[in-house]
Amino acid sequence: MKKKYTDDGIEIKEVYTNLDLGLPPDELPGKFPFTRGIQADMYRGKLWTMRQYAGFSTAQESNLRYHYLLSRGVNGLSIAFDLPTQIGFDSDHELSEGEVGKVGVAIDSLEDMEVLFKGIKLEEITTSMTINATGFILLAFYIALAKKQGADLNKISGTIQNDILKEYAARGTYIYPPQPSMRITTDIFEWCEKEIPKWNTISISGYHIREAGSTAIQEIAFTLSNGKAYVKAALEKGIAINTLGKRLSFFFNAHNNLFEEVSKFRAARKMWAIIMKGLGATDPKAMMLRFHTQTGGATLTAQQPFNNITRVALQSLSAVLGGTQSLHTNSYDEALNLPSEEAAAIALGTQQIVAYESGVPDTVDPLAGSFFIESLTNEIETKAWEIIKKIDAMGGSVAAIEQGYLQDEIAKSAYEYQRQIESGEKIIVGVNKFQNEKSTAPFGFKINDSIRQIQIDQLNALKSRRDNTKVQDCLDKINEAARGNSNLMPFVLDAVENYCTLGEISDELRKVFGEYK
């Protein structure tokens, strides 16, 4: 393997241990419990996947942005969907007014997905889709498109968020009550295991828990508890834990406190390995916590927005020092509007500078052995276990969410954080100290409200062309399957291939499952 050196010519070892200090050997990367990383060589073998989260307006507009990002060196797409898509409403629904295409791309049907990926071979990229309540429908759109492209489904890879529990606790884009929602999640596990074996069937998300106001310790405790709930539900369905474990991934936030964030990632990896081993996993790969990181949206400021470039750089560094498998860097203008092309390019460049100029990827877990880092990792782990034990005593994550425990704890932490900012205990540059009245805001990137009418026109044209008798038959079969115990995914895939819309499928399941209030 090619040798690495510092700028002064000092050779950098692949990994350092206590032996380098004349001390007894310590834990190694790539070995249980994976505190130091899931690969023995980490980024010397392969850099993390560089993703940029993007999606806005129509499928046509987002497609142009995806081609732009791919041309700039992105090697994985990460899709943002608008709120109507996330909560199961087509663009023509009355509750969609004012929201179509605003915080993500509007996807109503397979036709929209075809346009979204025009000129992009699904076999050649990995795609992460941030979608939960309607995740199974978006996955069906994606697979239907892959089949139309003639792709080998055994080679299709990517991740669907599919983490509904954190929606009840932190984010709010749920549709159905917890129990039927968990059924949909495990149906996806079961179906993907047979049909698309390389697909990561869930991205268990701490990101949104942290964005809602949790602490770093709560972020990993609540997320790992949710992970346990998903694994237990899958085991009850007869899914093998060693197979399931290899297809699970996690999604964490990176905030500004560099050493705390690095220690959080290290502690989470160790804790998940212990949890999976305790649940019966025997394959080391099924015990590995693989995670995607996104820099902190809640840390971005509208005041002095160019300072956000520095914040994102620090957060990116923490994710890489913590051993992330993929990374999305936020754009400096996201506290004001959707990211402009220029801001997205700077955000990607931040990752590339960390990757190719900083020297950080040259050795595995470079902060290991620091008295501070090791102590902080242990302390975070201890405090997170205490929270998990409380949740276990309540009956697990589903019961804890139904009792409001997670929601209350996040709210308390969010309040305390805001109190510290307002009292001046916590300094936010440009917000409560070092203000600059002459700060210039960048050009705003806004979405026109006419997008909704474009989507409605396309929906009307689709409904006039398709076989509506076949559509009704597909919806009836989904209803029947939902009332029984059949896996829903084959019926949903058949429906989207016959151009049933996302809203029609969601409404059919609303008839059976009801809505969570």
Side-chain angles (χ1 to χ4, degrees), residues 235-249:
L235 294 177
E236 288 173 7
K237 200 150 189 166
I239 299 170
I241 192 168
N242 283 334
T243 302
L244 175 70
K246 295 172 191 175
R247 299 270 60 89
L248 301 177
S249 67

Side-chain angles (χ1 to χ4, degrees), residues 168 177-179 394 396-407 516:
Y168 302 109
Q179 293 300 337
M394 294 177 192
S397 273
V398 176
I401 287 166
E402 289 173 340
Q403 294 171 42
Y405 171 71
L406 271 67
Q407 299 93 310
Y516 183 71

Side-chain angles (χ1 to χ4, degrees), residues 4-5 10-17 19-21 44 361-364:
K4 302 274 187 178
Y5 300 89
I10 301 168
E11 184 179 344
I12 302 171
K13 293 185 179 182
E14 181 172 294
V15 63
Y16 290 85
T17 73
L19 292 175
D20 294 292
L21 304 176
R44 285 171 73 133
D362 290 348
T363 190
V364 184

Side-chain angles (χ1 to χ4, degrees), residues 164-212:
I164 198 63
L165 291 179
K166 65 96 173 51
E167 295 296 328
Y168 302 109
R171 196 160 172 272
T173 60
Y174 44 73
I175 302 174
Y176 317 111
Q179 293 300 337
S181 294
M182 288 292 282
R183 174 202 167 166
I184 293 170
T185 297
T186 53
D187 277 359
I188 294 170
F189 291 168
E190 185 179 56
W191 184 82
C192 289
E193 181 185 349
K194 298 169 186 171
E195 303 295 332
I196 45 172
K198 288 185 71 177
W199 193 265
N200 297 320
T201 49
I202 192 169
S203 174
I204 306 161
S205 176
Y207 185 85
H208 303 96
I209 290 170
R210 190 70 176 281
E211 288 291 288

